[in-house]
């Protein structure tokens, strides 16, 4: 049995599906009836907002969904960035979740990986504000930023 996903979009709200940008001119509900890689506009991270280690890795994975032609390069960047990110955190929950993100990306579930990363933002914020990862995170440097 195939599962379907019903989405409701407001007028002019963008939806990114398999690299295509869809923007309805009025409120609309759509059903995605098969597997598709998609991203809702409110989950799109702008380059200037990729200001923390997790947001930087999120941005890299986001490129894979929004720009299928650039997906191989983004995947390579993810593979190079993930070990640096894992070495930057001491929090076991974050580390376990990042390993899960790695598995999801390997299995082609980039959307699930993005959702998992978004769920880690509060833990990352706590680490940045004074947790035991603060000094390590300050030294984290992304491999690349701002591909538009």
């Amino acid at each position: 049995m195939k599962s379907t996903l019903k989405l409701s979009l407001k007028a002019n709200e963008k939806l990114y599906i398999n690299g295509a940008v869809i923007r309805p001119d009025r409120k609309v509900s759509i059903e995605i009836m098969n597997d598709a890689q998609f991203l809702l506009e409110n989950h799109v991270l702008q380059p200037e907002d990729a200001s923390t280690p997790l947001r930087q890795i999120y941005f890299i994975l986001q490129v894979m969904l929004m720009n299928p032609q650039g997906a191989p390069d983004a995947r390579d960047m993810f593979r190079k960035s993930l070990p640096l990110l894992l070495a930057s955190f001491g929090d076991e929950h974050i580390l376990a979740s990042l390993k899960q993100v790695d598995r999801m990306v390997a299995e082609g579930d980039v959307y699930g990986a993005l959702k998992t990363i978004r769920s880690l933002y509060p833990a990352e914020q706590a680490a940045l504000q004074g947790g035991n990862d603060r000094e390590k995170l300050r030294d984290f440097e992304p491999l690349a930023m701002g591909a538009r």
Side-chain angles (χ1 to χ4, degrees), residues 4-51:
T4 61
L5 177 65
K6 188 170 186 173
L7 300 173
S8 294
L9 301 174
K10 300 173 198 158
N12 297 313
E13 182 179 15
K14 293 178 186 170
L15 173 66
Y16 302 84
I17 300 179
N18 293 342
V21 182
I22 298 167
R23 186 179 69 196
D25 62 354
R26 64 187 133 251
K27 185 176 178 179
V28 65
S29 292
I30 61 170
E31 283 186 82
I32 299 177
M33 300 182 72
N34 61 350
D35 289 334
Q37 297 287 324
F38 71 94
L39 199 57
L40 298 169
E41 181 176 16
N42 65 340
H43 292 154
V44 173
L45 188 67
Q46 298 303 314
E48 61 271 13
D49 295 328
S51 58

Side-chain angles (χ1 to χ4, degrees), residues 2-129:
K2 291 184 181 181
S3 63
T4 61
L5 177 65
K6 188 170 186 173
L7 300 173
S8 294
L9 301 174
K10 300 173 198 158
N12 297 313
E13 182 179 15
K14 293 178 186 170
L15 173 66
Y16 302 84
I17 300 179
N18 293 342
V21 182
I22 298 167
R23 186 179 69 196
D25 62 354
R26 64 187 133 251
K27 185 176 178 179
V28 65
S29 292
I30 61 170
E31 283 186 82
I32 299 177
M33 300 182 72
N34 61 350
D35 289 334
Q37 297 287 324
F38 71 94
L39 199 57
L40 298 169
E41 181 176 16
N42 65 340
H43 292 154
V44 173
L45 188 67
Q46 298 303 314
E48 61 271 13
D49 295 328
S51 58
T52 68
L54 287 178
R55 290 175 190 268
Q56 291 165 5
I57 205 85
Y58 183 98
F59 187 83
I60 292 168
L61 292 179
Q62 170 184 289
V63 169
M64 292 173 64
L65 288 184
M66 294 177 68
N67 180 11
Q69 297 82 6
D73 290 337
R75 185 177 299 276
D76 289 344
M77 191 179 305
F78 171 77
R79 291 279 165 240
K80 291 175 184 172
S81 297
L82 187 63
L84 298 173
L85 189 59
L86 288 168
S88 297
F89 283 103
D91 181 288
E92 290 300 321
H93 171 68
I94 293 175
L95 291 172
S97 295
L98 287 173
K99 290 174 184 171
Q100 182 181 4
V101 164
D102 188 30
R103 180 188 51 75
M104 288 177 185
V105 171
E107 293 172 355
D109 184 12
V110 177
Y111 181 80
L114 290 172
K115 186 176 176 182
T116 299
I117 293 169
R118 281 193 310 272
S119 75
L120 295 174
Y121 288 167
E124 180 187 44
Q125 187 63 34
L128 289 171
Q129 289 178 342

